[in-house]
Amino acid sequence: PSSIPMERGDLVIRNFAVGEYLYPPGLSWPMHTGMFVRYQGSDPSDYENYRVVEAPGTGPAHVIDLEEFISQAQYQGARTKGLALGQRIAVSECAEGKIGAPYAICLGYKGPDNFRCDGLAEACYEAAGADIVPDSDCLELTPEKQFVAMSPAFGVAPLLTYKDSEGNEALIIKS
Protein backbone atom coordinates (compact mmCIF):
# COMPACT_ATOMS: atom_id res chain seq x y z
CA PRO A 1 0.00 0.00 0.00
CA SER A 2 1.21 3.47 -0.77
CA SER A 3 -1.41 5.59 0.97
CA ILE A 4 -2.81 5.85 4.47
CA PRO A 5 -6.05 3.83 4.39
CA MET A 6 -8.04 6.17 6.63
CA GLU A 7 -8.21 9.61 8.15
CA ARG A 8 -8.13 10.73 11.77
CA GLY A 9 -11.43 10.07 13.47
CA ASP A 10 -12.46 7.22 11.17
CA LEU A 11 -13.81 4.13 12.89
CA VAL A 12 -12.08 0.80 12.45
CA ILE A 13 -14.37 -2.16 12.94
CA ARG A 14 -13.62 -5.83 13.40
CA ASN A 15 -15.38 -8.88 14.73
CA PHE A 16 -15.06 -9.85 18.37
CA ALA A 17 -12.12 -11.90 19.43
CA VAL A 18 -13.05 -14.99 21.45
CA GLY A 19 -13.34 -14.12 25.14
CA GLU A 20 -13.01 -10.40 24.49
CA TYR A 21 -16.28 -9.39 26.11
CA LEU A 22 -18.07 -10.82 29.09
CA TYR A 23 -21.72 -10.00 28.49
CA PRO A 24 -24.70 -11.15 30.51
CA PRO A 25 -26.49 -14.18 28.98
CA GLY A 26 -28.53 -13.26 25.91
CA LEU A 27 -26.72 -9.97 25.30
CA SER A 28 -23.96 -9.81 22.72
CA TRP A 29 -22.59 -7.75 19.86
CA PRO A 30 -20.51 -9.56 17.26
CA MET A 31 -18.40 -6.49 16.28
CA HIS A 32 -15.94 -4.16 17.98
CA THR A 33 -15.27 -0.48 17.23
CA GLY A 34 -12.04 1.50 17.59
CA MET A 35 -11.11 5.00 16.40
CA PHE A 36 -8.08 5.83 14.28
CA VAL A 37 -6.52 8.81 16.07
CA ARG A 38 -3.11 9.37 14.49
CA TYR A 39 -0.38 8.08 12.25
CA GLN A 40 3.25 8.15 13.27
CA GLY A 41 6.09 6.97 11.12
CA SER A 42 7.27 7.15 7.55
CA ASP A 43 6.02 3.87 6.06
CA PRO A 44 2.24 3.79 5.39
CA SER A 45 2.42 0.06 4.71
CA ASP A 46 3.48 -0.60 8.32
CA TYR A 47 0.23 -0.82 10.27
CA GLU A 48 2.10 -0.66 13.56
CA ASN A 49 2.38 3.09 12.83
CA TYR A 50 -1.40 3.59 12.97
CA ARG A 51 -2.76 4.39 16.44
CA VAL A 52 -6.27 3.32 17.42
CA VAL A 53 -8.11 4.10 20.66
CA GLU A 54 -10.43 1.32 21.78
CA ALA A 55 -12.56 0.59 24.84
CA PRO A 56 -12.27 -3.19 25.10
CA GLY A 57 -14.57 -5.30 27.22
CA THR A 58 -11.59 -6.53 29.21
CA GLY A 59 -10.24 -3.26 30.58
CA PRO A 60 -9.96 0.51 30.28
CA ALA A 61 -9.79 2.53 27.06
CA HIS A 62 -6.28 2.44 25.64
CA VAL A 63 -4.15 2.95 22.52
CA ILE A 64 -3.39 -0.03 20.32
CA ASP A 65 -1.69 -0.18 16.92
CA LEU A 66 -3.85 -1.01 13.91
CA GLU A 67 -2.00 -4.23 13.16
CA GLU A 68 -2.71 -5.58 16.63
CA PHE A 69 -6.32 -4.33 16.53
CA ILE A 70 -7.17 -6.12 13.30
CA SER A 71 -5.09 -9.23 13.93
CA GLN A 72 -7.38 -10.25 16.80
CA ALA A 73 -10.40 -11.11 14.61
CA GLN A 74 -11.91 -10.61 11.14
CA TYR A 75 -11.39 -6.97 10.09
CA GLN A 76 -14.52 -5.37 8.64
CA GLY A 77 -12.93 -2.12 7.45
CA ALA A 78 -12.56 1.56 8.18
CA ARG A 79 -15.68 3.72 8.12
CA THR A 80 -16.05 7.48 7.74
CA LYS A 81 -18.79 10.04 8.35
CA GLY A 82 -17.49 12.82 6.06
CA LEU A 83 -16.30 15.12 8.81
CA ALA A 84 -14.43 18.38 8.26
CA LEU A 85 -10.78 18.43 9.34
CA GLY A 86 -11.54 20.33 12.56
CA GLN A 87 -14.15 17.74 13.51
CA ARG A 88 -11.73 14.88 12.78
CA ILE A 89 -9.15 16.46 15.05
CA ALA A 90 -11.79 16.97 17.75
CA VAL A 91 -12.87 13.30 17.53
CA SER A 92 -9.24 12.15 17.81
CA GLU A 93 -8.46 14.45 20.72
CA CYS A 94 -11.63 13.37 22.53
CA ALA A 95 -10.70 9.69 22.12
CA GLU A 96 -7.15 10.25 23.33
CA GLY A 97 -8.52 12.21 26.29
CA LYS A 98 -10.54 9.17 27.37
CA ILE A 99 -7.56 6.81 27.60
CA GLY A 100 -7.75 5.05 30.95
CA ALA A 101 -11.55 5.38 31.27
CA PRO A 102 -13.12 2.17 32.59
CA TYR A 103 -15.35 -0.08 30.49
CA ALA A 104 -19.12 0.00 31.01
CA ILE A 105 -21.64 -2.39 29.46
CA CYS A 106 -24.64 -0.08 29.82
CA LEU A 107 -24.56 2.40 32.71
CA GLY A 108 -22.21 5.07 31.42
CA TYR A 109 -21.66 3.25 28.09
CA LYS A 110 -21.31 6.65 26.42
CA GLY A 111 -19.50 8.47 29.21
CA PRO A 112 -18.65 10.80 30.61
CA ASP A 113 -16.44 8.59 32.78
CA ASN A 114 -17.07 5.01 31.54
CA PHE A 115 -17.33 3.72 27.98
CA ARG A 116 -18.23 0.79 25.80
CA CYS A 117 -16.40 0.62 22.44
CA ASP A 118 -19.31 1.95 20.38
CA GLY A 119 -20.28 4.43 23.11
CA LEU A 120 -16.79 5.94 23.13
CA ALA A 121 -16.98 6.49 19.37
CA GLU A 122 -20.49 7.94 19.63
CA ALA A 123 -19.50 10.28 22.49
CA CYS A 124 -16.46 11.60 20.62
CA TYR A 125 -18.45 12.17 17.42
CA GLU A 126 -21.16 13.98 19.37
CA ALA A 127 -18.51 16.14 21.08
CA ALA A 128 -17.30 17.12 17.59
CA GLY A 129 -20.83 18.09 16.50
CA ALA A 130 -21.71 14.91 14.62
CA ASP A 131 -23.82 11.87 15.47
CA ILE A 132 -23.26 8.39 14.10
CA VAL A 133 -26.43 6.62 15.28
CA PRO A 134 -28.94 9.28 16.41
CA ASP A 135 -31.12 8.78 19.47
CA SER A 136 -29.61 5.45 20.50
CA ASP A 137 -29.61 4.06 24.02
CA CYS A 138 -27.25 1.45 25.47
CA LEU A 139 -29.19 -1.50 24.03
CA GLU A 140 -29.82 0.06 20.60
CA LEU A 141 -26.31 1.33 19.88
CA THR A 142 -24.05 -1.30 18.32
CA PRO A 143 -20.91 -1.35 16.18
CA GLU A 144 -23.06 -2.92 13.44
CA LYS A 145 -25.35 0.12 13.38
CA GLN A 146 -22.31 2.40 13.28
CA PHE A 147 -20.88 0.37 10.41
CA VAL A 148 -24.12 0.75 8.41
CA ALA A 149 -24.51 4.47 9.24
CA MET A 150 -21.04 5.32 7.89
CA SER A 151 -19.37 5.05 4.49
CA PRO A 152 -16.23 3.09 3.61
CA ALA A 153 -13.08 5.12 4.28
CA PHE A 154 -10.91 6.11 1.33
CA GLY A 155 -7.51 4.73 0.41
CA VAL A 156 -6.08 1.25 0.48
CA ALA A 157 -7.61 -1.16 2.95
CA PRO A 158 -5.22 -3.23 5.07
CA LEU A 159 -4.18 -6.59 3.70
CA LEU A 160 -3.15 -8.70 6.66
CA THR A 161 -3.83 -12.02 8.28
CA TYR A 162 -5.98 -12.64 11.31
CA LYS A 163 -6.55 -15.58 13.62
CA ASP A 164 -9.97 -17.19 13.74
CA SER A 165 -11.52 -18.64 16.90
CA GLU A 166 -9.51 -21.85 16.49
CA GLY A 167 -6.22 -19.98 16.10
CA ASN A 168 -5.91 -20.63 12.36
CA GLU A 169 -4.47 -17.81 10.27
CA ALA A 170 -6.46 -16.52 7.32
CA LEU A 171 -5.87 -13.71 4.86
CA ILE A 172 -7.97 -10.55 5.06
CA ILE A 173 -8.79 -9.23 1.60
CA LYS A 174 -10.84 -6.06 1.40
CA SER A 175 -11.56 -4.13 -1.79
Side-chain angles (χ1 to χ4, degrees):
S2 60
S3 66
I4 296 175
M6 61 200 73
E7 294 184 81
R8 289 178 74 174
D10 284 347
L11 298 189
V12 288
I13 299 176
R14 64 167 168 76
N15 291 357
F16 274 175
V18 174
E20 184 171 18
Y21 287 84
L22 304 173
Y23 284 126
L27 182 63
S28 104
W29 285 264
M31 293 173 123
H32 175 64
T33 298
M35 281 176 288
F36 171 59
V37 294
R38 61 189 150 83
Y39 172 80
Q40 64 184 40
S42 59
D43 181 4
S45 67
D46 184 355
Y47 295 113
E48 290 182 3
N49 291 326
Y50 296 78
R51 298 293 180 246
V52 172
V53 172
E54 67 171 348
T58 56
H62 64 267
V63 177
I64 186 173
D65 67 60
L66 180 62
E67 185 168 350
E68 184 178 353
F69 179 85
I70 66 178
S71 69
Q72 295 176 28
Q74 175 76 41
Y75 183 61
Q76 297 297 329
R79 307 298 281 184
T80 189
K81 192 71 175 167
L83 302 179
L85 178 60
Q87 289 176 299
R88 290 180 170 285
I89 292 169
V91 167
S92 298
E93 289 175 350
C94 174
E96 290 182 306
K98 303 302 181 186
I99 292 170
Y103 181 80
I105 183 69
C106 204
L107 183 62
Y109 74 103
K110 203 165 70 167
D113 300 316
N114 305 306
F115 296 93
R116 192 172 68 209
C117 68
D118 47 6
L120 177 59
E122 197 74 32
C124 289
Y125 268 72
E126 288 174 2
D131 198 358
I132 303 170
V133 181
D135 303 320
S136 55
D137 67 25
C138 76
L139 296 177
E140 293 171 343
L141 181 65
T142 64
E144 293 83 4
K145 287 185 180 179
Q146 290 175 328
F147 185 88
V148 170
M150 300 176 84
S151 303
F154 81 97
V156 179
L159 175 63
L160 294 173
T161 60
Y162 72 96
K163 290 185 180 175
D164 65 18
S165 61
E166 285 83 41
N168 302 311
E169 288 203 4
L171 185 63
I172 298 170
I173 302 175
K174 291 287 184 183
S175 57

